[in-house]
Amino acid sequence: MLYSIVDEQPGFLLIHKYPGAVVHGTADSGEITLTQSLRHDFSCKSLFPCHRLDRTTSGLLVVAKGEASNKYFSTLFEKRAIDKCYLALSAKKPAKKQGAVRGDMVKARNGSWMLTHSLNAPAHTQFFSKGGVEGKRLFVLRPLTGKTHQLRVAMKSLGAPILGDERYGGGDADRCYLHAFALQFSVDGNEYSYVCPPEHGDLFCSQNFKSALDDLQSPFELPWPATKNGQ
């Protein structure tokens, strides 16, 4: 299985993408993508994942039903009208326990990205962290922009790369410990809010982690700094 259904509404699906699933891919890769699997399972060619999660990332993913819904959600993402929170684990302590990471992202070697000190079109990530998860540190990450590898690069810049993220120095683990945990948005005047705990990975499935998650305040109710126009 590549996914499970979290909710179904007239205009969209909300799914839990499993780690290892590729959202999109080329026709000649020989690999069944999440998009192909969804269209097959629902016997519908008009299903469109509205954003990307890396192969190694699990969690909530919005899938539009039809072209009009896809356009609507694309506009929401462009306007940063969809609030997102992720969970991550790191084996290292960050330079600071909470705050924000801002900076332009530029391409580095072999498909990686790096953060710079310039702020021309910056990636912006807010975060909180707490210890006590089997010797690891739990992060709640709130991306205010949607850059490629943004959260993975932000964590590296804090000196606390995501556990299992070998590309950015997170070391070896049974998975990359990054999970799209919560989403909230409005569709036609109706408010939607979702929280989806992770289900894959030895540490994510440990009682220690579950207890830490139970103690965590609702991600959207954390004292996030006020923002202006998503910045």
Side-chain angles (χ1 to χ4, degrees), residues 13 18 73 99 103 128 132 134 141 151 180 206 211 215 219 227:
L13 296 170
Y18 294 166
F73 276 101
F128 286 90
E134 313 227 355
L141 305 168
L151 299 181
S206 70
S211 296
D215 293 338
T227 61

PDB file of all heavy atoms in Angstrom, residues 13 18 73 99 103 128 132 134 141 151 180 206 211 215 219 227:
ATOM      1  N   LEU A  13      -9.804  14.629  -1.830  1.00  0.00           N
ATOM      2  CA  LEU A  13      -9.437  13.564  -0.913  1.00  0.00           C
ATOM      3  C   LEU A  13      -8.329  14.087  -0.009  1.00  0.00           C
ATOM      4  O   LEU A  13      -7.516  14.913  -0.418  1.00  0.00           O
ATOM      5  CB  LEU A  13      -8.897  12.345  -1.669  1.00  0.00           C
ATOM      6  CG  LEU A  13      -9.803  11.591  -2.620  1.00  0.00           C
ATOM      7  CD1 LEU A  13      -8.980  10.592  -3.431  1.00  0.00           C
ATOM      8  CD2 LEU A  13     -10.893  10.869  -1.853  1.00  0.00           C
ATOM      9  N   TYR A  18       2.334   7.124   2.532  1.00  0.00           N
ATOM     10  CA  TYR A  18       3.283   6.313   3.273  1.00  0.00           C
ATOM     11  C   TYR A  18       4.716   6.621   2.817  1.00  0.00           C
ATOM     12  O   TYR A  18       4.937   6.999   1.655  1.00  0.00           O
ATOM     13  CB  TYR A  18       2.991   4.826   3.074  1.00  0.00           C
ATOM     14  CG  TYR A  18       1.671   4.367   3.662  1.00  0.00           C
ATOM     15  CD1 TYR A  18       1.130   3.143   3.313  1.00  0.00           C
ATOM     16  CD2 TYR A  18       0.967   5.154   4.573  1.00  0.00           C
ATOM     17  CE1 TYR A  18      -0.074   2.703   3.851  1.00  0.00           C
ATOM     18  CE2 TYR A  18      -0.235   4.723   5.116  1.00  0.00           C
ATOM     19  CZ  TYR A  18      -0.749   3.491   4.751  1.00  0.00           C
ATOM     20  OH  TYR A  18      -1.942   3.077   5.285  1.00  0.00           O
ATOM     21  N   PHE A  73      -7.241  24.602  -5.327  1.00  0.00           N
ATOM     22  CA  PHE A  73      -6.214  24.294  -4.337  1.00  0.00           C
ATOM     23  C   PHE A  73      -4.854  24.856  -4.743  1.00  0.00           C
ATOM     24  O   PHE A  73      -4.071  25.282  -3.870  1.00  0.00           O
ATOM     25  CB  PHE A  73      -6.128  22.786  -4.098  1.00  0.00           C
ATOM     26  CG  PHE A  73      -7.126  22.286  -3.097  1.00  0.00           C
ATOM     27  CD1 PHE A  73      -8.285  21.660  -3.507  1.00  0.00           C
ATOM     28  CD2 PHE A  73      -6.898  22.462  -1.742  1.00  0.00           C
ATOM     29  CE1 PHE A  73      -9.208  21.206  -2.583  1.00  0.00           C
ATOM     30  CE2 PHE A  73      -7.816  22.012  -0.808  1.00  0.00           C
ATOM     31  CZ  PHE A  73      -8.975  21.373  -1.221  1.00  0.00           C
ATOM     32  N   GLY A  99      12.140  29.000  17.214  1.00  0.00           N
ATOM     33  CA  GLY A  99      12.430  30.215  16.471  1.00  0.00           C
ATOM     34  C   GLY A  99      12.063  30.052  15.008  1.00  0.00           C
ATOM     35  O   GLY A  99      11.055  29.425  14.679  1.00  0.00           O
ATOM     36  N   GLY A 103      16.037  32.266   4.724  1.00  0.00           N
ATOM     37  CA  GLY A 103      17.156  32.466   3.821  1.00  0.00           C
ATOM     38  C   GLY A 103      16.824  31.955   2.436  1.00  0.00           C
ATOM     39  O   GLY A 103      15.912  31.128   2.268  1.00  0.00           O
ATOM     40  N   PHE A 128       9.336  24.613  16.795  1.00  0.00           N
ATOM     41  CA  PHE A 128       9.473  24.365  18.225  1.00  0.00           C
ATOM     42  C   PHE A 128      10.154  23.006  18.375  1.00  0.00           C
ATOM     43  O   PHE A 128       9.996  22.131  17.510  1.00  0.00           O
ATOM     44  CB  PHE A 128       8.113  24.313  18.919  1.00  0.00           C
ATOM     45  CG  PHE A 128       7.444  25.641  19.083  1.00  0.00           C
ATOM     46  CD1 PHE A 128       6.585  26.134  18.110  1.00  0.00           C
ATOM     47  CD2 PHE A 128       7.660  26.409  20.223  1.00  0.00           C
ATOM     48  CE1 PHE A 128       5.962  27.356  18.253  1.00  0.00           C
ATOM     49  CE2 PHE A 128       7.046  27.632  20.380  1.00  0.00           C
ATOM     50  CZ  PHE A 128       6.197  28.119  19.398  1.00  0.00           C
ATOM     51  N   GLY A 132      13.533  14.273  24.889  1.00  0.00           N
ATOM     52  CA  GLY A 132      12.882  13.182  25.600  1.00  0.00           C
ATOM     53  C   GLY A 132      12.238  12.117  24.765  1.00  0.00           C
ATOM     54  O   GLY A 132      11.366  11.403  25.253  1.00  0.00           O
ATOM     55  N   GLU A 134      13.426   8.992  23.348  1.00  0.00           N
ATOM     56  CA  GLU A 134      14.462   7.970  23.224  1.00  0.00           C
ATOM     57  C   GLU A 134      15.821   8.567  22.879  1.00  0.00           C
ATOM     58  O   GLU A 134      16.548   8.059  22.018  1.00  0.00           O
ATOM     59  CB  GLU A 134      14.043   6.925  22.183  1.00  0.00           C
ATOM     60  CG  GLU A 134      12.621   6.438  22.364  1.00  0.00           C
ATOM     61  CD  GLU A 134      12.500   4.925  22.297  1.00  0.00           C
ATOM     62  OE1 GLU A 134      13.486   4.250  22.025  1.00  0.00           O
ATOM     63  OE2 GLU A 134      11.387   4.439  22.537  1.00  0.00           O
ATOM     64  N   LEU A 141       7.503  21.588  12.923  1.00  0.00           N
ATOM     65  CA  LEU A 141       7.958  22.515  11.888  1.00  0.00           C
ATOM     66  C   LEU A 141       6.758  23.101  11.157  1.00  0.00           C
ATOM     67  O   LEU A 141       5.840  22.373  10.764  1.00  0.00           O
ATOM     68  CB  LEU A 141       8.848  21.784  10.882  1.00  0.00           C
ATOM     69  CG  LEU A 141      10.055  21.041  11.449  1.00  0.00           C
ATOM     70  CD1 LEU A 141      10.662  20.138  10.390  1.00  0.00           C
ATOM     71  CD2 LEU A 141      11.088  22.024  11.969  1.00  0.00           C
ATOM     72  N   LEU A 151      12.356  21.965   4.532  1.00  0.00           N
ATOM     73  CA  LEU A 151      12.445  21.564   5.933  1.00  0.00           C
ATOM     74  C   LEU A 151      13.737  20.803   6.215  1.00  0.00           C
ATOM     75  O   LEU A 151      14.354  20.965   7.272  1.00  0.00           O
ATOM     76  CB  LEU A 151      11.235  20.719   6.320  1.00  0.00           C
ATOM     77  CG  LEU A 151       9.881  21.418   6.188  1.00  0.00           C
ATOM     78  CD1 LEU A 151       8.762  20.478   6.619  1.00  0.00           C
ATOM     79  CD2 LEU A 151       9.837  22.694   7.005  1.00  0.00           C
ATOM     80  N   ALA A 180       4.321  14.815   7.521  1.00  0.00           N
ATOM     81  CA  ALA A 180       3.350  15.906   7.370  1.00  0.00           C
ATOM     82  C   ALA A 180       2.190  15.641   8.320  1.00  0.00           C
ATOM     83  O   ALA A 180       1.320  14.811   8.049  1.00  0.00           O
ATOM     84  CB  ALA A 180       2.880  15.983   5.923  1.00  0.00           C
ATOM     85  N   SER A 206       7.143   4.141  18.729  1.00  0.00           N
ATOM     86  CA  SER A 206       7.508   3.823  20.106  1.00  0.00           C
ATOM     87  C   SER A 206       6.543   4.480  21.085  1.00  0.00           C
ATOM     88  O   SER A 206       5.973   5.534  20.815  1.00  0.00           O
ATOM     89  CB  SER A 206       8.936   4.276  20.399  1.00  0.00           C
ATOM     90  OG  SER A 206       9.016   5.690  20.436  1.00  0.00           O
ATOM     91  N   SER A 211       3.893   9.148  23.780  1.00  0.00           N
ATOM     92  CA  SER A 211       3.670   9.914  25.004  1.00  0.00           C
ATOM     93  C   SER A 211       4.063  11.370  24.804  1.00  0.00           C
ATOM     94  O   SER A 211       3.369  12.289  25.260  1.00  0.00           O
ATOM     95  CB  SER A 211       4.478   9.314  26.157  1.00  0.00           C
ATOM     96  OG  SER A 211       4.030   8.010  26.463  1.00  0.00           O
ATOM     97  N   ASP A 215       1.584  14.781  24.889  1.00  0.00           N
ATOM     98  CA  ASP A 215       1.865  15.953  25.719  1.00  0.00           C
ATOM     99  C   ASP A 215       1.974  17.234  24.898  1.00  0.00           C
ATOM    100  O   ASP A 215       1.983  18.337  25.456  1.00  0.00           O
ATOM    101  CB  ASP A 215       3.171  15.758  26.498  1.00  0.00           C
ATOM    102  CG  ASP A 215       3.060  14.666  27.539  1.00  0.00           C
ATOM    103  OD1 ASP A 215       1.928  14.355  27.941  1.00  0.00           O
ATOM    104  OD2 ASP A 215       4.110  14.118  27.941  1.00  0.00           O
ATOM    105  N   PRO A 219      -0.873  21.520  17.227  1.00  0.00           N
ATOM    106  CA  PRO A 219       0.159  22.273  16.493  1.00  0.00           C
ATOM    107  C   PRO A 219      -0.254  23.677  16.084  1.00  0.00           C
ATOM    108  O   PRO A 219       0.567  24.600  16.105  1.00  0.00           O
ATOM    109  CB  PRO A 219       0.430  21.394  15.265  1.00  0.00           C
ATOM    110  CG  PRO A 219      -0.746  20.488  15.145  1.00  0.00           C
ATOM    111  CD  PRO A 219      -1.210  20.264  16.541  1.00  0.00           C
ATOM    112  N   THR A 227       2.632  36.595  11.614  1.00  0.00           N
ATOM    113  CA  THR A 227       3.247  36.776  10.297  1.00  0.00           C
ATOM    114  C   THR A 227       2.428  37.774   9.486  1.00  0.00           C
ATOM    115  O   THR A 227       1.260  38.022   9.757  1.00  0.00           O
ATOM    116  CB  THR A 227       3.326  35.455   9.531  1.00  0.00           C
ATOM    117  OG1 THR A 227       1.990  34.950   9.331  1.00  0.00           O
ATOM    118  CG2 THR A 227       4.141  34.424  10.286  1.00  0.00           C
TER     119      THR A 227
END
